[in-house]
Amino acid sequence: MAGPRRDTRGIVDAPELFAQVRFRRREPAAGLRPYVEHYWLIDWDLSQPYASHVVPHPSVNLVFQRFEGEDDFVEVSGIGLELFTQKLEGRGRVCGVQFRPGGFRPFAPDRPVSEWTGRRLPADEVFTPPAPPSDVLGPADEDARVAALDRYLLALGPVADPQAERAMALADLVRTDRTVRRVDGLARAEGLSPRSLQRLFASYVGVGPKWVILRYRIHEALERAESDPQVDWAALAAELGYSDQAHLIRDFTATVGVPPTAFAPR
């Protein structure tokens, strides 16, 4: 498995976020890499409040959180269907686990992943034993925090599941292969009916394959807008498989909250 991603896909105004907080990605233990994309660690000490915005990936997250003046807590965060906004102020720390699309089900095999979609709930409602927030958030040493995450997830004992492996491989294909543009084409290439593919994604990824295709398109468009103020949106729409520029602009605006022409200059 490759190491943690280095791109900023999904982060709205990544340079501003990195100016406000310490953001790192870390690789999990070898036994977890088939299921876990990476750990993500954030620490902040702010004199003024700051709101971060993220267009969520098609991934479930396990998030250990410490906010000044509050008790530490741990959440399972299902796939977010809308733009995620988090207000940060004072001092705080977050240690998150981003599972691969399809990689969460082996840790919670009794329920389809779609049950968690659009929800944030205490981790002890999902996992036994409950996640220990102080073990992960307490150490000053970053390596110790990563080691605590490894210990907890390995102790949960992910259950090997060929269907989870199939879902992870298909979701990764959607992410990396721009020629995957239609659900029926993906299903046909995999030897499945579109309905069977829908059921596989609902059970193991948490959203349908069409949603995953669209979300990865928007991530790429968002990253392009961040890096190039002179984006040719008509050309990008064609490159991403949209029928026209207007369709890309509608999807981008609905997901990010502003049209690409307004976002790019920022």
Side-chain angles (χ1 to χ4, degrees), residues 97-233:
V97 179
Q98 182 171 311
F99 293 88
R100 297 183 184 280
F104 182 75
R105 179 74 182 267
F107 292 86
D110 295 336
R111 301 186 194 179
V113 179
S114 57
E115 283 207 16
W116 319 119
T117 298
R119 301 173 63 195
R120 298 171 65 183
L121 62 162
D124 60 9
E125 295 184 17
V126 181
F127 296 128
T128 302
S134 59
D135 288 2
V136 172
L137 296 166
D141 179 68
E142 182 176 309
D143 290 342
R145 281 177 254 157
V146 170
L149 288 170
D150 284 340
R151 284 194 302 273
Y152 178 66
L153 291 176
L154 288 169
L156 288 176
V159 178
D161 184 336
Q163 288 295 86
E165 294 175 10
R166 190 179 199 183
M168 285 188 282
L170 287 173
D172 191 59
L173 181 66
V174 172
R175 181 177 64 87
T176 58
D177 187 346
R178 287 184 182 171
T179 67
V180 179
R181 297 175 176 177
R182 295 180 57 87
V183 173
D184 56 356
L186 180 62
R188 188 166 52 250
E190 187 63 15
L192 294 170
S193 69
R195 191 177 187 86
S196 295
L197 184 64
Q198 293 277 2
R199 287 198 295 265
L200 176 69
F201 268 64
S203 294
Y204 286 90
V205 179
V207 289
K210 182 177 180 180
W211 191 96
V212 176
I213 292 169
L214 172 61
R215 181 49 52 94
Y216 281 137
R217 284 175 172 178
I218 296 301
H219 278 171
E220 184 157 353
L222 176 60
E223 187 175 51
R224 192 74 65 88
E226 288 271 17
S227 60
D228 182 4
Q230 304 300 324
V231 176
D232 182 336
W233 290 101

Side-chain angles (χ1 to χ4, degrees), residues 5 11 18 28 48 67 75 82 106 156 161 169 188 193 202 255:
R5 291 186 297 105
I11 302 174
F18 298 157
Q48 298 292 330
F67 293 92
E75 285 185 324
E82 300 177 344
L156 288 176
D161 184 336
R188 188 166 52 250
S193 69
T255 305

Side-chain angles (χ1 to χ4, degrees), residues 83-97:
L83 184 70
F84 175 75
T85 298
Q86 177 66 63
K87 182 180 179 181
L88 306 176
E89 54 187 332
R91 299 179 66 186
R93 169 174 294 167
V94 172
C95 300
V97 179

